[in-house]
Amino acid sequence: MSDANVRIPEEAKDRLAAIAAAEGLSLRAYLARLAETLLTPAERAERAEKTRAVLKEWNGYAPTAAEQDDLDSELDRRLAQVTGR
């Protein structure tokens, strides 16, 4: 396994280290676990496509691209409302 140096603001490093410590992990172990659990954009797109196919087969749900955009916008609006962004 190779190591890498990553430059981030000190505040971000301290926050990540505190989160890692609270979970009983070193910062290195926490970042490795985080990298294993996050999806790449390609992986997210693949999962979304599989989900759309399952929904279409299961109940005929097949939104158009415009409907998907509207739903994405609504989700973004609701998330912003909840998170205060």
Side-chain angles (χ1 to χ4, degrees):
M1 181 181 327
S2 65
D3 286 334
N5 291 320
V6 179
R7 294 181 58 89
I8 62 173
E10 188 73 23
E11 298 82 20
K13 181 189 101 34
D14 292 344
R15 179 175 172 80
L16 289 169
I19 293 167
E23 295 189 25
L25 298 170
S26 68
L27 179 55
R28 181 178 190 222
Y30 179 77
L31 291 174
R33 187 181 75 182
L34 184 64
E36 291 172 3
T37 60
L38 295 176
L39 299 175
T40 66
E43 290 167 335
R44 284 194 306 273
E46 181 182 351
R47 282 195 181 182
E49 185 55 41
K50 286 180 180 178
T51 301
R52 281 190 290 274
V54 167
L55 287 171
K56 184 176 182 182
E57 182 180 325
W58 177 57
N59 67 4
Y61 181 71
T64 65
E67 290 170 328
Q68 286 182 44
D69 289 343
D70 288 345
L71 291 168
D72 287 345
S73 294
E74 178 63 13
L75 179 58
D76 289 342
R77 184 190 70 75
R78 289 183 185 198
L79 287 172
Q81 186 178 29
V82 170
T83 60
R85 294 183 184 170

